[in-house]
């Protein structure tokens, strides 16, 4: 089991190797949630995630005999980069097993830290099995992503930092995957100040810890695809489960829409790039999943490693979810000046045309007509409906609407 002394010692070991990340107060998010909201910016950590804390502490606790054959780990990305970075700092050979569907940016970043990367399986759980096989064959030391006392103590240093930065906080909210982060933070916080509430948040698509708590033992769950891939762990660890069961007050879930909207909000309002798993804790607060108000709350933004290609999709999806984009089509008479009339209606309502295309062949298109497909940027869902009503009022039938409130 872990100890508070072990967490304090971990903090000393990693001084100068990892950042003490800022704790940032957000008035905007405070007003939206009804609480005083502070963001623990682990998305600004070395390698872009909190994971470097646990991996470095684990390797610092290995002896030379254990390290002589290097280390091996399995991860969807953030733990991979944490282990690779720590290995580079300590001059240790490193092999990382990543799922075949791991984000390309995370694979490339892991390789840049000098690790050998092998792709195996459809998820972290399958990658873990293969990594343990490599360990048996090579004699390398295995660095577990969450179910290890040294790893948990390393993650617990976040709890010590938060307590120093905001000693009068009422609660802290952490994302939950395998449970290493919340186990370490909860243990540190509760040992130092038991009155502080600790809550965890999972993606609804893979709520293994919440399911395990209900069953009173670690259980395997069926997982759906989620943008919070960093916490999509189908079964929590035995050690992390025990610690969560004892020190965490409750676990909540957020869905994909809530995650996407939160990622976009933090990017737009706070100028912070946060990955899906990193946004979950804040999403639970903004969407009133946690049971309090008028409290000083710290939410841990656990990582900021987002594929460049994925950022645009998240922004687009978040904009649609928030009623900021609308996609639709209308049928026009195929005559000069018809397009101009439609655009005038949209311009008068101060909506911005982002994309436009005209088609003469299709399901709704008859001879002498054309289908106009448009993407417009709007203020909110009410503004979208205002545009649709204006077009319908002028005799244009709006088809194929894609605009979610």
């Amino acid at each position: 089991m872990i100890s508070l002394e072990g967490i304090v010692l971990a903090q000393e070991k990693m001084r100068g190797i990892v950042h003490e990340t800022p704790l940032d107060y957000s008035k905007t998010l405070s007003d939206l949630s009804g609480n005083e909201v502070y963001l623990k910016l682990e998305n600004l950590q070395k390698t872009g995630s909190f994971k470097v804390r646990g991996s470095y502490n684990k390797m610092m606790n290995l002896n030379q005999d254990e390290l002589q054959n290097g280390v091996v780990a399995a991860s969807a990305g953030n733990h991979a980069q944490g282990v690779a970075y720590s290995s580079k700092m300590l001059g240790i050979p490193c092999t990382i097993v990543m799922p075949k569907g791991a984000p390309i940016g995370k694979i490339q970043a892991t390789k840049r830290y000098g690790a050998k990367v092998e792709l195996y399986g459809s998820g972290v759980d399958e990658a873990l099995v293969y990594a343990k096989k490599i360990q048996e064959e090579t004699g390398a030391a295995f660095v577990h992503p969450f179910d290890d006392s040294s790893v948990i103590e390393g993650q617990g240093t976040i709890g010590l930092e938060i307590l120093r930065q905001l000693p009068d906080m009422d609660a802290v909210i952490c994302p939950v995957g395998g449970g290493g982060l919340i186990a370490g933070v909860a243990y540190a916080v509760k040992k130092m100040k038991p009155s502080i509430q600790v809550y965890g948040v999972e993606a609804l698509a893979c709520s293994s810890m919440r399911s395990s708590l209900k069953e009173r033992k670690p259980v395997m769950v069926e997982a759906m695809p989620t943008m919070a891939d960093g916490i999509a762990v189908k079964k929590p660890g035995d050690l992390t489960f025990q610690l969560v069961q004892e020190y965490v007050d409750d676990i909540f879930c957020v869905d994909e829409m809530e995650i996407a909207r939160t990622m976009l909000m933090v990017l737009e309002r706070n100028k912070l790039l946060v990955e899906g798993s990193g946004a979950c804790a804040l999403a639970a607060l903004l969407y009133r999943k946690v049971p309090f108000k008028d409290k000083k709350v710290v939410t841990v933004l656990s990582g900021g490693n987002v594929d460049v290609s994925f950022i645009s999709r998240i922004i687009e999806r978040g904009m649609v979810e928030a009623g900021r984009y609308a996609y639709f089509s209308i049928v026009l008479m195929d005559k000069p000046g018809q397009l101009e009339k439609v655009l005038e209606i949209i311009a008068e309502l101060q909506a911005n045309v982002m994309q436009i295309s005209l088609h003469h062949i299709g399901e709704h298109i008859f001879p002498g007509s054309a289908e106009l497909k448009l993407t417009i940027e709007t203020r909110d869902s009410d503004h979208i409906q205002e545009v649709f009503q204006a077009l319908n009022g002028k005799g244009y039938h709006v088809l194929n609407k894609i605009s979610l409130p």
Side-chain angles (χ1 to χ4, degrees), residues 164-198:
R164 188 190 63 77
Q165 293 167 323
L166 192 69
D168 61 339
M169 68 174 168
D170 297 303
V172 59
I173 311 174
C174 297
V176 180
L181 171 62
I182 194 167
V185 170
Y187 185 91
V189 167
K190 293 286 189 178
K191 287 294 183 181
M192 296 286 287
K193 194 174 180 181
S195 63
I196 295 174
Q197 294 174 299
V198 181

Side-chain angles (χ1 to χ4, degrees), residues 194-207:
S195 63
I196 295 174
Q197 294 174 299
V198 181
Y199 295 101
V201 183
E202 292 183 297
L204 187 61
C206 188
S207 56

Side-chain angles (χ1 to χ4, degrees), residues 48-113:
S49 161
F50 75 97
K51 286 285 190 177
V52 67
R53 296 173 182 263
S55 58
Y56 186 79
N57 191 52
K58 171 64 177 179
M59 280 183 264
M60 285 294 290
N61 287 341
L62 296 173
N63 59 45
Q64 289 304 311
D65 290 338
E66 291 173 310
L67 291 173
Q68 64 180 353
N69 294 316
V71 296
V72 61
S75 168
N78 286 340
H79 180 60
Q81 292 178 69
V83 173
Y85 171 80
S86 300
S87 299
K88 184 177 181 180
M89 293 296 98
L90 296 171
I92 302 166
C94 175
T95 299
I96 304 292
V97 181
M98 304 180 75
K100 291 181 179 178
I104 294 173
K106 292 184 179 182
I107 294 173
Q108 292 175 336
T110 303
K111 289 181 177 179
R112 283 197 293 269
Y113 287 122

